[in-house]
Amino acid sequence: MTTNQPPSIPAAAARVPSAGGGAPDARAPRGSARARLIAAAHATVRKQGYSATTVDQICAAAGVTKGAFFHHFASKEDLAVAAAEGWTDRARPMFELPPHVRLEDPLDRLLGHIDFRLSMLDGPTEDYTCFVGTMVQEAYATNDRIRAACEASINAYCQALTPDIQAAIDIHGVPDDITALGLAQHVQSVLQGAFVLAKTTNDPAIARGTVTHLKRYVRMLFGAGGTP
């Protein structure tokens, strides 16, 4: 992709149900119990982890009854899977709305995306860390449904970064062993690692430093290309 249009979300991500459930084009109303439960799961799990989060706590955060919970979800596991899918939907605006998606050079768009992620690293840890990254660290070996849902969400993010990275490679060039998907996965890995480091200090400063190093690495990888 060499135009200044925003990168498209991959087909796999486009099929992910919205946070409200149902088909991608049939979003649940913003105030629906299902949507509120998913949003509450995102907030609560990011703050205290999946295992420590109870159905009662999610219901309280969502402002719905336990009966409403079980009307929409058969179990906490079912909510976790739906919330992982909803997390992908929640991430889509990062590839559609920020000003950097209109930049002509795809490398500038990639660097702008990294700057955008850097700008998000502020405030309480649970406000900027990743729901699926938090949940998969606990559930990867004990619940394959949750692991797979988290994998799909993380992979959708990488796939969404890939078109601009490939376009930047085509224009600026990189070493032969670098692939667009591999670099997208590296970006995701640095972000997830930055979240873990921030949790160790309960301070986003260390995460900001790590993501700043990521931007330096990307610029050096492309021969300091892009707009200074």
PDB file of all heavy atoms in Angstrom, residues 186-206:
ATOM      1  N   HIS A 186       7.016  -7.892  16.158  1.00  0.00           N
ATOM      2  CA  HIS A 186       7.993  -7.284  17.059  1.00  0.00           C
ATOM      3  C   HIS A 186       7.392  -6.045  17.729  1.00  0.00           C
ATOM      4  O   HIS A 186       7.571  -5.835  18.940  1.00  0.00           O
ATOM      5  CB  HIS A 186       9.255  -6.902  16.294  1.00  0.00           C
ATOM      6  CG  HIS A 186      10.291  -6.222  17.135  1.00  0.00           C
ATOM      7  ND1 HIS A 186      10.958  -6.852  18.154  1.00  0.00           N
ATOM      8  CD2 HIS A 186      10.762  -4.933  17.127  1.00  0.00           C
ATOM      9  CE1 HIS A 186      11.800  -6.013  18.737  1.00  0.00           C
ATOM     10  NE2 HIS A 186      11.689  -4.842  18.129  1.00  0.00           N
ATOM     11  N   VAL A 187       6.685  -5.228  16.965  1.00  0.00           N
ATOM     12  CA  VAL A 187       6.012  -4.064  17.546  1.00  0.00           C
ATOM     13  C   VAL A 187       5.057  -4.510  18.654  1.00  0.00           C
ATOM     14  O   VAL A 187       5.048  -3.949  19.757  1.00  0.00           O
ATOM     15  CB  VAL A 187       5.258  -3.271  16.459  1.00  0.00           C
ATOM     16  CG1 VAL A 187       4.380  -2.180  17.096  1.00  0.00           C
ATOM     17  CG2 VAL A 187       6.232  -2.646  15.469  1.00  0.00           C
ATOM     18  N   GLN A 188       4.274  -5.531  18.351  1.00  0.00           N
ATOM     19  CA  GLN A 188       3.336  -6.043  19.361  1.00  0.00           C
ATOM     20  C   GLN A 188       4.094  -6.574  20.576  1.00  0.00           C
ATOM     21  O   GLN A 188       3.678  -6.342  21.725  1.00  0.00           O
ATOM     22  CB  GLN A 188       2.479  -7.145  18.731  1.00  0.00           C
ATOM     23  CG  GLN A 188       1.534  -7.864  19.677  1.00  0.00           C
ATOM     24  CD  GLN A 188       0.393  -6.998  20.150  1.00  0.00           C
ATOM     25  OE1 GLN A 188       0.570  -6.175  21.035  1.00  0.00           O
ATOM     26  NE2 GLN A 188      -0.783  -7.204  19.575  1.00  0.00           N
ATOM     27  N   SER A 189       5.183  -7.273  20.354  1.00  0.00           N
ATOM     28  CA  SER A 189       5.956  -7.830  21.466  1.00  0.00           C
ATOM     29  C   SER A 189       6.524  -6.738  22.358  1.00  0.00           C
ATOM     30  O   SER A 189       6.498  -6.854  23.596  1.00  0.00           O
ATOM     31  CB  SER A 189       7.107  -8.697  20.926  1.00  0.00           C
ATOM     32  OG  SER A 189       6.621  -9.802  20.207  1.00  0.00           O
ATOM     33  N   VAL A 190       7.035  -5.678  21.751  1.00  0.00           N
ATOM     34  CA  VAL A 190       7.576  -4.570  22.548  1.00  0.00           C
ATOM     35  C   VAL A 190       6.470  -3.914  23.364  1.00  0.00           C
ATOM     36  O   VAL A 190       6.659  -3.594  24.547  1.00  0.00           O
ATOM     37  CB  VAL A 190       8.287  -3.548  21.646  1.00  0.00           C
ATOM     38  CG1 VAL A 190       8.680  -2.303  22.449  1.00  0.00           C
ATOM     39  CG2 VAL A 190       9.529  -4.167  21.009  1.00  0.00           C
ATOM     40  N   LEU A 191       5.315  -3.713  22.758  1.00  0.00           N
ATOM     41  CA  LEU A 191       4.204  -3.099  23.486  1.00  0.00           C
ATOM     42  C   LEU A 191       3.784  -3.972  24.661  1.00  0.00           C
ATOM     43  O   LEU A 191       3.606  -3.478  25.780  1.00  0.00           O
ATOM     44  CB  LEU A 191       3.019  -2.878  22.543  1.00  0.00           C
ATOM     45  CG  LEU A 191       3.199  -1.785  21.488  1.00  0.00           C
ATOM     46  CD1 LEU A 191       2.053  -1.827  20.487  1.00  0.00           C
ATOM     47  CD2 LEU A 191       3.295  -0.409  22.134  1.00  0.00           C
ATOM     48  N   GLN A 192       3.630  -5.278  24.418  1.00  0.00           N
ATOM     49  CA  GLN A 192       3.216  -6.169  25.500  1.00  0.00           C
ATOM     50  C   GLN A 192       4.273  -6.201  26.602  1.00  0.00           C
ATOM     51  O   GLN A 192       3.943  -6.206  27.792  1.00  0.00           O
ATOM     52  CB  GLN A 192       2.968  -7.580  24.958  1.00  0.00           C
ATOM     53  CG  GLN A 192       1.795  -7.693  23.995  1.00  0.00           C
ATOM     54  CD  GLN A 192       0.447  -7.432  24.648  1.00  0.00           C
ATOM     55  OE1 GLN A 192       0.303  -7.494  25.866  1.00  0.00           O
ATOM     56  NE2 GLN A 192      -0.549  -7.138  23.836  1.00  0.00           N
ATOM     57  N   GLY A 193       5.541  -6.228  26.215  1.00  0.00           N
ATOM     58  CA  GLY A 193       6.606  -6.198  27.212  1.00  0.00           C
ATOM     59  C   GLY A 193       6.625  -4.893  27.983  1.00  0.00           C
ATOM     60  O   GLY A 193       6.893  -4.877  29.193  1.00  0.00           O
ATOM     61  N   ALA A 194       6.340  -3.797  27.292  1.00  0.00           N
ATOM     62  CA  ALA A 194       6.289  -2.494  27.963  1.00  0.00           C
ATOM     63  C   ALA A 194       5.189  -2.470  29.019  1.00  0.00           C
ATOM     64  O   ALA A 194       5.363  -1.910  30.110  1.00  0.00           O
ATOM     65  CB  ALA A 194       6.066  -1.388  26.933  1.00  0.00           C
ATOM     66  N   PHE A 195       4.056  -3.112  28.699  1.00  0.00           N
ATOM     67  CA  PHE A 195       2.964  -3.174  29.681  1.00  0.00           C
ATOM     68  C   PHE A 195       3.403  -3.951  30.925  1.00  0.00           C
ATOM     69  O   PHE A 195       3.098  -3.555  32.052  1.00  0.00           O
ATOM     70  CB  PHE A 195       1.733  -3.837  29.073  1.00  0.00           C
ATOM     71  CG  PHE A 195       1.162  -3.119  27.874  1.00  0.00           C
ATOM     72  CD1 PHE A 195       0.526  -3.833  26.870  1.00  0.00           C
ATOM     73  CD2 PHE A 195       1.255  -1.744  27.751  1.00  0.00           C
ATOM     74  CE1 PHE A 195      -0.013  -3.190  25.769  1.00  0.00           C
ATOM     75  CE2 PHE A 195       0.714  -1.085  26.648  1.00  0.00           C
ATOM     76  CZ  PHE A 195       0.077  -1.815  25.651  1.00  0.00           C
ATOM     77  N   VAL A 196       4.112  -5.053  30.715  1.00  0.00           N
ATOM     78  CA  VAL A 196       4.579  -5.856  31.852  1.00  0.00           C
ATOM     79  C   VAL A 196       5.553  -5.040  32.706  1.00  0.00           C
ATOM     80  O   VAL A 196       5.466  -5.032  33.940  1.00  0.00           O
ATOM     81  CB  VAL A 196       5.238  -7.154  31.360  1.00  0.00           C
ATOM     82  CG1 VAL A 196       5.916  -7.888  32.519  1.00  0.00           C
ATOM     83  CG2 VAL A 196       4.194  -8.067  30.703  1.00  0.00           C
ATOM     84  N   LEU A 197       6.495  -4.344  32.062  1.00  0.00           N
ATOM     85  CA  LEU A 197       7.440  -3.527  32.813  1.00  0.00           C
ATOM     86  C   LEU A 197       6.724  -2.439  33.609  1.00  0.00           C
ATOM     87  O   LEU A 197       7.076  -2.160  34.768  1.00  0.00           O
ATOM     88  CB  LEU A 197       8.456  -2.898  31.862  1.00  0.00           C
ATOM     89  CG  LEU A 197       9.483  -3.849  31.243  1.00  0.00           C
ATOM     90  CD1 LEU A 197      10.325  -3.118  30.210  1.00  0.00           C
ATOM     91  CD2 LEU A 197      10.378  -4.462  32.315  1.00  0.00           C
ATOM     92  N   ALA A 198       5.720  -1.822  32.989  1.00  0.00           N
ATOM     93  CA  ALA A 198       4.968  -0.780  33.700  1.00  0.00           C
ATOM     94  C   ALA A 198       4.266  -1.351  34.923  1.00  0.00           C
ATOM     95  O   ALA A 198       4.154  -0.684  35.953  1.00  0.00           O
ATOM     96  CB  ALA A 198       3.958  -0.134  32.753  1.00  0.00           C
ATOM     97  N   LYS A 199       3.801  -2.596  34.818  1.00  0.00           N
ATOM     98  CA  LYS A 199       3.140  -3.220  35.966  1.00  0.00           C
ATOM     99  C   LYS A 199       4.129  -3.461  37.107  1.00  0.00           C
ATOM    100  O   LYS A 199       3.748  -3.416  38.285  1.00  0.00           O
ATOM    101  CB  LYS A 199       2.494  -4.541  35.547  1.00  0.00           C
ATOM    102  CG  LYS A 199       1.265  -4.367  34.662  1.00  0.00           C
ATOM    103  CD  LYS A 199       0.740  -5.709  34.186  1.00  0.00           C
ATOM    104  CE  LYS A 199      -0.480  -5.538  33.290  1.00  0.00           C
ATOM    105  NZ  LYS A 199      -0.970  -6.833  32.764  1.00  0.00           N
ATOM    106  N   THR A 200       5.402  -3.716  36.783  1.00  0.00           N
ATOM    107  CA  THR A 200       6.376  -3.985  37.844  1.00  0.00           C
ATOM    108  C   THR A 200       6.671  -2.741  38.671  1.00  0.00           C
ATOM    109  O   THR A 200       7.057  -2.844  39.841  1.00  0.00           O
ATOM    110  CB  THR A 200       7.702  -4.528  37.276  1.00  0.00           C
ATOM    111  OG1 THR A 200       8.349  -3.504  36.498  1.00  0.00           O
ATOM    112  CG2 THR A 200       7.469  -5.763  36.425  1.00  0.00           C
ATOM    113  N   THR A 201       6.504  -1.571  38.065  1.00  0.00           N
ATOM    114  CA  THR A 201       6.795  -0.319  38.769  1.00  0.00           C
ATOM    115  C   THR A 201       5.534   0.486  39.067  1.00  0.00           C
ATOM    116  O   THR A 201       5.608   1.482  39.786  1.00  0.00           O
ATOM    117  CB  THR A 201       7.732   0.555  37.918  1.00  0.00           C
ATOM    118  OG1 THR A 201       7.095   0.844  36.659  1.00  0.00           O
ATOM    119  CG2 THR A 201       9.057  -0.150  37.671  1.00  0.00           C
ATOM    120  N   ASN A 202       4.407   0.042  38.512  1.00  0.00           N
ATOM    121  CA  ASN A 202       3.157   0.799  38.613  1.00  0.00           C
ATOM    122  C   ASN A 202       3.356   2.229  38.130  1.00  0.00           C
ATOM    123  O   ASN A 202       2.823   3.187  38.703  1.00  0.00           O
ATOM    124  CB  ASN A 202       2.617   0.789  40.045  1.00  0.00           C
ATOM    125  CG  ASN A 202       1.123   1.066  40.101  1.00  0.00           C
ATOM    126  OD1 ASN A 202       0.401   0.829  39.129  1.00  0.00           O
ATOM    127  ND2 ASN A 202       0.650   1.581  41.218  1.00  0.00           N
ATOM    128  N   ASP A 203       4.122   2.354  37.041  1.00  0.00           N
ATOM    129  CA  ASP A 203       4.481   3.673  36.502  1.00  0.00           C
ATOM    130  C   ASP A 203       4.696   3.518  34.998  1.00  0.00           C
ATOM    131  O   ASP A 203       5.466   2.644  34.577  1.00  0.00           O
ATOM    132  CB  ASP A 203       5.759   4.154  37.178  1.00  0.00           C
ATOM    133  CG  ASP A 203       6.157   5.572  36.783  1.00  0.00           C
ATOM    134  OD1 ASP A 203       5.672   6.078  35.762  1.00  0.00           O
ATOM    135  OD2 ASP A 203       6.968   6.176  37.513  1.00  0.00           O
ATOM    136  N   PRO A 204       4.056   4.345  34.177  1.00  0.00           N
ATOM    137  CA  PRO A 204       4.213   4.183  32.730  1.00  0.00           C
ATOM    138  C   PRO A 204       5.547   4.682  32.188  1.00  0.00           C
ATOM    139  O   PRO A 204       5.837   4.483  31.002  1.00  0.00           O
ATOM    140  CB  PRO A 204       3.055   5.018  32.163  1.00  0.00           C
ATOM    141  CG  PRO A 204       2.812   6.074  33.192  1.00  0.00           C
ATOM    142  CD  PRO A 204       3.089   5.396  34.514  1.00  0.00           C
ATOM    143  N   ALA A 205       6.373   5.312  33.005  1.00  0.00           N
ATOM    144  CA  ALA A 205       7.610   5.906  32.497  1.00  0.00           C
ATOM    145  C   ALA A 205       8.498   4.863  31.836  1.00  0.00           C
ATOM    146  O   ALA A 205       9.064   5.107  30.760  1.00  0.00           O
ATOM    147  CB  ALA A 205       8.364   6.607  33.629  1.00  0.00           C
ATOM    148  N   ILE A 206       8.634   3.698  32.457  1.00  0.00           N
ATOM    149  CA  ILE A 206       9.497   2.666  31.894  1.00  0.00           C
ATOM    150  C   ILE A 206       8.931   2.147  30.573  1.00  0.00           C
ATOM    151  O   ILE A 206       9.672   1.822  29.642  1.00  0.00           O
ATOM    152  CB  ILE A 206       9.714   1.518  32.903  1.00  0.00           C
ATOM    153  CG1 ILE A 206      10.817   0.569  32.420  1.00  0.00           C
ATOM    154  CG2 ILE A 206       8.419   0.756  33.174  1.00  0.00           C
ATOM    155  CD1 ILE A 206      11.246  -0.426  33.487  1.00  0.00           C
TER     156      ILE A 206
END
